[in-house]
Amino acid sequence: MTRIAGGQIDRSRTWAFTFDGLPYTGHPGDTLASALLANGVRLMGRSFKYHRPRGVIAAGSEEPNALVELRTGARREPNTRATVAELYDGLQAASQNRWPSLRFDAMAINDRLSPFFAAGFYYKTFMWPASFWEKVYEPIIRRAAGLGSLSGQDDPDSYDKGFLHCDLLVIGAGPAGLAAALTAGRAGARVILADEDFRMGGRLNAETHGVGGIAGADWAAQAVAELASLPSVRLMARTTVMGAMDHGIYAAVERVSDHLAEPAPHTPRQILWRIYSARAILATGAIERPIAFENNDRPGIMLAGALRAYANRWGVAAGDHVVVFTNNDDGLRTATDLSAKGLEVSVIDARNGDEVTGSAGSLGLKSITVRRANGRSEVLRVNALGVSGGWNPNLNIASNHRGRPVWNDAIAAFVPAPDSVSGLTCAGAVAGVMSTHAALATGAARAVAALAELGRSVTPMDVPEAEDAPVKITPKWYVQSGKGRAWIDPQNDVTVKDIRLAHQENFVSVEHLKRYTTLGMATDQGKTGNVLGLAIMAELTGKTIPETGTTMYRPPATPVALGALAGRSRGPEFKPVRHTPSHVWAAEQGAVFVEVGYWLRTQYLPRAGETTWRQSVDREVLQTRRSVGICDVTTLGKIDIQGTDAGAFLDRVYANTFSTLAIGRVRYGLMLREDGIVMDDGTTARMGADDYVMTTTTANAVPVFRHLEYCRQVLWPDLDVQLISTTEAWAQYSVAGPNARKLLQKLVDQDISDAAFPYMACGAITVCGGLRARLFRISFSGELAYEIAVPTRYGDAMIRALVEAGQEFDAVVYGTEALGVMRVEKGHVAGNELNGQSTALNMGLGKMVSVKKDAIGRVLSQREGLTAAGGLRLVGVRPVDPARSLTAGAHFLAMGAPATAAHDDGWLTSVVFSPHLGHSIALGYLKNGTARMGERLRAVNLLASTEVEVEIVSPHFIDPEGERLRG
Amino acid sequence: MIINHPLLGPRDAQEFVYLGDAALIHRPDGMVAGEDAFHDYLYLRDNPAGLHRELWYHEQGDRSWLVVTRHTLTHEITGVELARDVARAAGRSK
Amino acid sequence: MADHRLKPLSPLGHANPLTETVGPVTIAEITDTALASLATRIGHEDDVARLAAAAAIPLPGPGGHAQGAIWAAFWLGPQHWMIEAPFATHEDIAAVLRTSFAAAASVTEQTDAWARFDVTAPDLPAMFERLTAFDLRGAASGAATRTVIDHLGCYLIVRNPQTLTVLGPRSSAKSLHHALVTAARSAF
């Protein structure tokens, strides 16, 4: 065991866990990484490309190496960083990207083949022959690619999304963040303090120096306790702010249950928060970077600050023979701290000219080679090496809005540019001020400044006494050596050589360098090693680092589970459902439902003995045409249009005229877009002098309403028109067929004889002894038909009453399929014809466009290109051989014409089987179609390899004179 | 993004539907203007890398159409007005 | 009211409104309130204010709900309100309002357009922060707003710190109810 004294773990409790099936123990407060190290496990994974043995490098979320699979079964999660995986009793973890075992990995052969796998390998190798790509190369690459593997099962956990509001969002709960939160929270500001760690305090938990006379970790605990007592402060541990959106909105993922074996019932695993902040402070600290040298990727070689964190926070000695290789004073702290814990430590300080030039140990570090300033080399037997090349501000979020970081010579690192993100300021190490005291002071000062911008005057907290050492660093990026490989991006296996190769091949821009070598493109986004690559490129090109530049970061700052982005929108909850008023009844009848947008509509209602949908649909159509059918048409959009200018308004939004419509009458309306294309159609009823009810197609209810609001607010702001949707307020049923009137008259309290209620009449009525209702004598089927509307709460009772009243007529309830059949038989246009490309002229409705008034789309509908002779016209189509069936989408071709686009004459838009006619029929758009009645053409469908000889006929397959409607 | 609604204060842009250039307010009179005028009105748009006046519709809110002045590079919003007021000020009426 | 023979269903599809308790949360389907929208006709702003005052109908400003002795109202948009009245006495609410406002306003019945759930809990914000972008924690009693809950356009009315009314599209009553129950279980 390598557990040593101290740390913030609860030694009174011991938890069992497994790694690759072997049992280990740890304590509450451990991460998987600290617990594995405490058990002497250094080898935790294999690298991506070369399958090199790897161990943990860091102690935080920047970890590039120690990626493991957590949990088993459906909850298995690949590529989880062991450094942030909170230990729990019973945790099961496994290494990944190895076969058959972590210690012996057959794919390690790649390491021997490394000369072939240099930067650009894929681009250069898999070029030719082209035919090899799909069958040979891609399968090989896919098999070799990736690290962990998915469970292949549905995620059993749930995820929430949520919204939070605050005056001040503080990102990071180290000394700077705590000071900012205390300053703002004590003043009563609404503060959210978010930290990705389960224990707030940041580096204070990992250091030995004190704050205000007590241990830093204790000071942090006290600060957190005080913040928890402030009602306006929300503390969010285990919460990663992953990106800055616009205008003070931040995205954050809270890991609610990841520290448990599984979430409590009904509790989400994670929550994706959308945080609305008036101001934000970035206090995400800094991330240490290594110095590259040959074979610097062995398990046991880690960042010096991580080595120290494991010892101080978790009471773990990663080795008992330790060397620290540093170019700055902070590295020396590791030596001091570890030495104080009784470990044997020596320091190789690059500033003295000493360097580590290599390492040995096949599955873990056994020795290093050191080249002294005097040129002499020696081999040191060590089992832990801490490397420090300096600290990079963790500025990920500050660059989300393209604010390019700027170079700071004093700390030899990039810092966020001022005002990189509007409303966000930086405090502490992320701002480039590296001492604890400066972190506390800037945290307090930034909070004061942020609240001042919000008009609140607050006093900063008294900054306690704390470590205030200056940064002393001499930049050193890598150790010159011979032929070996020195890693700078261990996760993507990018080495110093790859940077040289990129330079040699002229990929010298940082953006090209990144994409060519994949530097920084792994799940860790190169948080530890990116700057090394830039520095080496700078050296190769003879430029400075600031001249070379740096890439920027996009959200997310750390990997996010897709489940968190999906939230509750999964499976049947992907979208809400809209139920029609007849749904309960229809479900009782065994109806088959179809999704129409959010709506669930009755598609058809099978009866006993029917084995195909066609049997049901044919019966519904024939029964309706023979006697009477009932259909729920509630889903059509209904818009109440009132006001003294309502008629004038309708004249502007419809191509045809409405101001002349008599009270108590309905008219079919055609709505155009300003470009002259048909937008929607439907009937509008004039219920009173200033009172109209417009219907829209089901699909366009929302866009049409939006358009009408646009017309009345933006185009004609003084028209006296008021709008409100009433789609949901009324249950509306179509009653169609020769017996429609007889059926309805049994329910309607008033006289609805043809004289009292003629074709296209509408009005307020009562039904069933006094219920307020509306009746419209309109028809989509071509039959004598009415639509009757009752308040929605009576929709269920109404369908039952209609069915009961219809029994003596053998009435049928029909669904959307029969509805579609009957409208095609009647030649009415619908969605397939209203395709966003068609004009009124195309639809055979050209005469509806009034030229006597200004209306949306009128002028441009008359454009030459839209009105040219020979354009597409709506036609009816029947197969010459009635036994053949047509397919929608088939194209018209003249007899004998080759099936090419040049000979295309149009296409079939809607196809149904007409039980009335006993064969397949269709509507279609045909060039010069009106003049081609009786002509024979071919309907060719190259996708289905079908070709049917067809005859062009009138689109009105039944009752072309409309006698049934007026019956 | 956040749109500071003139009546309701700051609201998430997710509640809005975007239409485009606020020049759409200046629709020609269809009884006077011809195809060319409508062509220019409908299809010719400035596409500035900078401040842009745009129509947004508060569909999941009070259903007001707004004219939002937004910087297309930074998303900074410098002005939000009720489109009806803007239209009236531009001389539009019935 | 008229003596017809049809039986209504609640938005959730039952003969009687449903009340569900989830931990400290009560989610009650409410059907006892009639609704109608009232929109001022252009140029009649003063008339509407005067007639509303005479009829004891409160007309709150943007983002507000106001409760009178019989009538209540919340703001929908500029010169546009949703009026509430007891269903038992005002089932034909639109006709009543039309009488009061005559040609000064446009009135549209809305009772059945909406499913209403009154949610009661000691800490409502903890539940609704998982449902809506509306800042309930910062809202006072009498606040009313339109917002989105699980893709559904809804109105929220803060009756008091422990009671919130959610009005959602009636056809999606079940989806909305499911969202409320799920959030209550998740938050508490």
Side-chain angles (χ1 to χ4, degrees):
Chain A
M1 294 287 283
T2 56
R3 205 58 101 160
I4 54 176
Q8 298 136 35
I9 50 171
D10 178 4
R11 290 168 199 259
S12 68
R13 287 189 290 162
T14 298
W15 282 346
F17 71 101
T18 65
F19 180 63
D20 279 344
L22 295 174
Y24 300 100
T25 61
H27 299 294
D30 263 327
T31 63
L32 176 60
S34 70
L36 283 172
L37 287 173
N39 283 278
V41 177
R42 293 193 294 175
L43 174 62
M44 297 185 196
R46 290 274 175 171
S47 76
F48 180 59
K49 203 155 70 170
Y50 302 126
H51 290 251
R52 301 261 298 185
R54 292 286 168 78
V56 67
I57 286 182
S61 64
E62 69 273 27
E63 173 63 32
N65 256 359
L67 304 184
V68 299
E69 288 177 358
L70 275 194
R71 299 182 169 85
T72 56
R75 286 198 166 83
R76 186 169 81 200
E77 185 180 47
N79 302 342
T80 306
R81 291 147 295 159
T83 51
V84 294
E86 209 172 328
L87 196 69
Y88 58 84
D89 197 22
L91 178 145
Q92 290 173 285
S95 59
Q96 52 189 34
N97 202 36
R98 81 288 186 272
W99 183 85
S101 75
L102 183 59
R103 293 184 70 82
F104 176 78
D105 176 7
M107 287 294 278
I109 187 73
N110 281 5
D111 197 33
R112 308 251 177 241
L113 302 174
S114 63
F116 297 103
F117 291 119
F121 162 70
Y122 290 91
Y123 311 131
K124 292 166 183 167
T125 309
F126 298 113
M127 296 277 291
W128 46 260
S131 59
F132 268 40
W133 177 251
E134 255 181 55
K135 293 206 165 70
V136 182
Y137 296 146
E138 191 180 328
I140 291 173
I141 293 170
R142 289 215 178 277
R143 215 170 305 135
L147 290 167
S149 52
L150 297 166
S151 73
Q153 299 176 43
D154 278 352
D155 187 340
D157 294 327
S158 62
Y159 301 79
D160 269 338
K161 288 191 188 180
F163 310 83
L164 298 173
H165 301 257
C166 61
D167 299 319
L168 186 67
L169 168 66
V170 181
I171 306 165
L178 289 171
L182 281 170
T183 298
R186 284 171 181 168
R190 288 174 76 181
V191 176
I192 291 174
L193 176 61
D195 195 284
E196 62 180 358
D197 205 328
F198 54 89
R199 184 184 174 100
M200 289 188 164
R203 277 308 288 191
L204 292 178
N205 293 327
E207 303 292 354
T208 48
H209 44 243
V211 174
I214 57 175
D218 293 340
W219 185 88
Q222 282 181 11
V224 170
E226 183 188 340
L227 288 166
S229 74
L230 299 174
S232 67
V233 175
R234 184 181 188 122
L235 293 175
M236 300 182 74
R238 301 185 175 104
T239 302
T240 302
V241 175
M242 65 165 180
M245 311 301 145
D246 286 304
H247 303 158
I249 301 175
Y250 291 81
V253 174
E254 181 178 4
R255 289 171 296 280
V256 179
S257 309
D258 279 2
H259 60 295
L260 306 170
E262 58 184 74
H266 304 299
T267 305
R269 179 186 166 212
Q270 299 179 351
I271 304 176
L272 176 64
W273 293 107
R274 188 173 175 87
I275 301 176
Y276 300 90
S277 70
R279 289 291 181 277
I281 291 176
L282 190 66
T284 41
I287 291 171
E288 200 169 20
R289 65 190 181 222
I291 299 168
F293 58 89
E294 239 178 84
N295 291 322
N296 60 339
D297 63 333
R298 295 190 197 283
I301 301 176
M302 58 175 76
L303 293 163
L307 205 54
R308 176 161 99 234
Y310 285 115
N312 291 336
R313 176 170 169 183
W314 287 287
V316 173
D320 49 6
H321 292 73
V322 184
V323 166
V324 173
F325 177 34
T326 182
N327 66 347
N328 67 87
D329 278 5
D330 189 75
L332 304 179
R333 285 186 180 142
T334 300
T336 311
D337 286 1
L338 266 53
S339 188
K341 289 188 182 287
L343 301 171
E344 182 192 303
V345 188
S346 54
V347 173
I348 310 294
D349 194 326
R351 293 171 293 183
N352 302 332
D354 299 340
E355 302 177 316
V356 176
T357 55
S359 73
S362 61
L363 295 175
L365 183 65
K366 287 186 175 154
S367 67
I368 57 171
T369 311
V370 175
R371 183 168 59 211
R372 297 292 180 185
N374 60 14
R376 289 232 306 269
S377 280
E378 58 184 303
V379 173
L380 303 180
R381 293 191 59 78
V382 299
N383 49 17
L385 173 66
V387 184
S388 181
W391 292 75
N392 295 320
N394 184 16
L395 51 72
N396 189 306
I397 285 166
S399 75
N400 280 175
H401 293 184
R402 299 185 58 81
R404 232 172 241 285
V406 294
W407 184 254
N408 180 328
D409 265 329
I411 61 167
F414 283 102
V415 296
D419 303 320
S420 286
V421 173
S422 179
L424 177 82
T425 52
C426 299
V430 69
V433 291
M434 296 301 197
S435 77
T436 307
H437 186 269
L440 292 162
T442 53
R446 298 288 182 271
V448 170
L451 293 178
E453 287 178 12
L454 302 179
R456 300 173 76 126
S457 174
V458 303
T459 46
M461 62 170 256
D462 292 329
V463 177
E465 184 190 334
E467 166 274 325
D468 200 13
V471 173
K472 289 186 181 168
I473 181 169
T474 303
K476 179 159 190 78
W477 310 105
Y478 70 109
V479 175
Q480 293 279 3
S481 60
K483 51 193 183 310
R485 285 167 294 164
W487 268 263
I488 55 177
D489 180 341
Q491 191 176 136
N492 266 356
D493 274 340
V494 180
T495 65
V496 174
K497 271 185 177 174
D498 291 317
I499 308 295
R500 288 212 184 95
L501 186 63
H503 172 253
Q504 200 177 311
E505 299 183 352
N506 206 28
F507 291 98
V508 294
S509 136
V510 288
E511 302 291 348
H512 291 159
L513 171 68
K514 169 179 169 178
R515 285 156 185 86
Y516 192 59
T517 62
T518 72
L519 171 69
M521 289 177 74
T523 58
D524 65 315
Q525 294 189 35
K527 289 187 177 70
T528 54
N530 250 6
V531 172
L532 272 67
L534 306 175
I536 294 163
M537 182 56 80
E539 185 184 295
L540 293 167
T541 54
K543 292 179 180 173
T544 65
I545 294 172
E547 282 166 353
T548 305
T550 179
T551 54
M552 288 173 294
Y553 296 96
R554 281 185 291 260
T558 57
V560 174
L562 285 176
L565 301 178
R568 297 274 176 185
S569 299
R570 287 170 55 192
E573 293 173 53
F574 180 69
K575 56 185 172 57
V577 175
R578 296 177 83 178
H579 288 107
T580 63
S582 64
H583 187 87
V584 173
W585 175 85
E588 285 170 12
Q589 305 300 310
V592 174
F593 295 105
V594 59
E595 287 183 17
V596 182
Y598 287 173
W599 288 105
L600 214 49
R601 295 187 73 177
T602 296
Q603 190 173 15
Y604 55 94
L605 285 125
R607 285 217 183 132
E610 290 173 347
T611 53
T612 69
W613 65 272
R614 261 281 307 285
Q615 290 175 327
S616 308
V617 174
D618 288 357
R619 171 180 50 76
E620 290 171 13
V621 171
L622 290 172
Q623 227 169 317
T624 300
R625 295 228 185 272
R626 188 178 64 237
S627 178
V628 59
I630 301 156
C631 182
D632 190 331
V633 293
T634 302
T635 62
L636 292 180
K638 293 181 276 289
I639 301 171
D640 210 51
I641 302 174
Q642 296 189 44
T644 51
D645 292 324
F649 178 74
L650 288 167
D651 281 349
R652 306 272 177 88
V653 298
Y654 274 132
N656 50 326
T657 304
F658 275 81
S659 52
T660 56
L661 183 66
I663 294 171
R665 286 293 182 274
V666 189
R667 185 169 287 170
Y668 173 75
L670 197 62
M671 195 177 288
L672 305 185
R673 309 190 310 220
E674 194 69 276
D675 63 0
I677 302 295
V678 174
M679 178 181 185
D680 198 56
D681 72 343
T683 58
T684 288
R686 188 168 189 182
M687 307 300 287
D690 303 330
D691 187 357
Y692 295 79
V693 178
M694 173 188 283
T695 62
T696 73
T697 59
T698 300
N700 281 334
V702 170
V704 166
F705 193 91
R706 184 186 308 151
H707 174 69
L708 297 184
E709 286 285 10
Y710 167 76
C711 292
R712 93 181 173 108
Q713 294 180 38
V714 178
L715 299 184
W716 300 293
D718 288 334
L719 280 180
D720 180 37
V721 181
Q722 291 80 42
L723 306 172
I724 191 160
S725 166
T726 59
T727 305
E728 303 267 338
W730 298 91
Q732 195 149 323
Y733 296 103
S734 170
V735 181
N739 287 321
R741 182 183 298 122
K742 283 186 207 159
L743 190 163
L744 273 177
Q745 189 66 80
K746 290 174 70 180
L747 301 174
V748 176
D749 301 332
Q750 292 77 21
D751 175 18
I752 56 166
S753 66
D754 190 50
F757 210 86
Y759 179 55
M760 287 304 215
C762 67
I765 55 160
T766 60
V767 294
C768 300
L771 175 65
R772 289 171 299 109
R774 290 168 163 182
L775 190 65
F776 309 86
R777 190 169 159 192
I778 50 178
S779 176
F780 196 47
S781 57
E783 299 297 327
L784 165 68
Y786 300 81
E787 289 188 11
I788 185 162
V790 294
T792 310
R793 63 186 177 278
Y794 295 109
D796 178 78
M798 194 66 206
I799 185 78
R800 292 174 201 274
L802 286 166
V803 168
E804 190 193 324
Q807 269 178 1
E808 66 174 283
F809 308 108
D810 192 25
V812 67
V813 175
Y814 63 92
T816 55
E817 289 295 331
L819 183 81
V821 169
M822 287 190 276
R823 74 96 185 166
V824 172
E825 286 181 337
K826 181 62 184 169
H828 281 307
V829 291
N832 291 6
E833 289 75 37
L834 298 162
N835 62 353
Q837 298 173 309
S838 305
T839 64
L841 200 57
N842 295 146
M843 295 173 190
L845 303 171
K847 286 179 185 158
M848 286 186 69
V849 181
S850 166
V851 293
K852 294 180 187 156
K853 63 181 179 77
D854 184 16
I856 302 276
R858 182 185 72 83
V859 172
L860 291 182
S861 75
Q862 306 303 313
R863 279 182 287 176
E864 190 184 343
L866 298 181
T867 54
L872 295 170
R873 296 294 180 271
L874 188 75
V875 295
V877 183
R878 67 171 194 83
V880 171
D881 174 0
R884 299 291 306 271
S885 48
L886 304 169
T887 49
H891 280 252
F892 293 119
L893 290 166
M895 307 302 287
T900 62
H903 296 88
D904 179 25
D905 262 358
W907 68 96
L908 276 62
T909 53
S910 300
V911 171
V912 299
F913 178 84
S914 167
H916 180 72
L917 298 170
H919 58 76
S920 189
I921 61 170
L923 298 177
Y925 283 130
L926 175 66
K927 283 181 185 167
N928 198 26
T930 317
R932 296 171 75 174
M933 294 298 139
E935 192 173 324
R936 289 196 175 185
L937 296 166
R938 293 143 61 218
V940 177
N941 184 335
L942 293 178
L943 291 175
S945 301
T946 60
E947 180 169 327
V948 181
E949 189 180 348
V950 297
E951 183 185 341
I952 304 305
V953 296
S954 156
H956 308 294
F957 291 92
I958 60 140
D959 191 30
E961 304 306 320
E963 286 159 9
R964 297 186 191 198
L965 301 170
R966 295 177 176 82
Chain B
M1 292 201 297
I2 302 282
I3 293 174
N4 194 8
H5 191 295
L7 301 173
L8 293 167
R11 307 288 295 212
D12 194 312
Q14 289 185 335
E15 295 177 354
F16 292 78
V17 173
Y18 177 79
L19 181 64
D21 194 340
L24 281 169
I25 289 171
H26 309 291
R27 182 182 183 275
D29 182 341
M31 297 311 283
V32 178
E35 283 179 29
D36 288 349
F38 268 89
H39 172 273
D40 292 355
Y41 163 71
L42 194 61
Y43 295 115
L44 295 188
R45 293 270 192 288
D46 287 336
N47 184 22
L51 288 178
H52 194 216
R53 278 160 66 83
E54 303 164 333
L55 285 162
W56 291 71
Y57 176 53
H58 199 194
E59 183 149 274
Q60 299 296 354
D62 75 338
R63 303 213 151 106
S64 284
W65 278 91
L66 304 179
V67 174
V68 175
T69 306
R70 182 179 66 100
H71 197 289
T72 56
L73 295 183
T74 64
H75 290 182
E76 187 190 4
I77 291 173
T78 56
V80 185
E81 304 152 272
L82 291 175
R84 180 172 243 159
D85 294 345
V86 175
R88 280 176 175 152
R92 300 201 66 86
S93 178
K94 285 194 172 189
Chain C
M1 279 288 112
D3 181 25
H4 58 79
R5 56 188 167 84
L6 299 177
K7 296 261 185 304
L9 283 192
S10 77
L12 285 176
H14 304 287
N16 295 301
L18 197 84
T19 294
E20 184 148 350
T21 305
V22 180
V25 185
T26 303
I27 301 168
E29 188 183 17
I30 304 291
T31 55
D32 69 357
T33 305
L35 298 173
S37 74
L38 178 82
T40 305
R41 293 201 168 166
I42 285 187
H44 289 276
E45 292 78 6
D46 294 343
D47 298 335
V48 165
R50 177 174 49 78
L51 293 166
I57 299 171
L59 295 180
H65 174 273
Q67 179 70 53
I70 296 170
W71 299 95
F74 61 95
W75 189 88
L76 298 179
Q79 291 294 317
H80 201 181
W81 296 269
M82 188 76 86
I83 312 293
E84 298 178 320
F87 184 85
T89 50
H90 293 69
E91 178 176 345
D92 201 356
I93 182 173
V96 179
L97 290 172
R98 262 184 224 113
T99 306
S100 298
F101 288 91
S106 295
V107 174
T108 304
E109 180 169 333
Q110 287 282 296
T111 306
D112 281 10
W114 302 94
R116 173 174 163 182
F117 299 103
D118 278 9
V119 185
T120 314
D123 186 8
L124 284 169
M127 172 179 164
F128 278 84
E129 69 192 15
R130 302 188 187 204
L131 290 168
T132 158
F134 180 60
D135 183 10
L136 190 57
R137 223 172 273 281
S141 295
T145 187
R146 194 179 158 92
T147 187
V148 181
I149 293 178
D150 268 17
H151 312 281
L152 297 170
C154 297
Y155 288 101
L156 299 182
I157 302 164
V158 185
R159 305 273 172 188
N160 60 56
Q162 276 84 46
T163 309
L164 188 71
T165 289
V166 183
L167 287 169
R170 181 183 175 112
S171 65
S172 296
K174 283 185 180 170
S175 293
L176 178 57
H177 185 258
H178 177 75
L180 295 173
V181 169
T182 302
R185 287 190 178 134
S186 176
F188 301 109

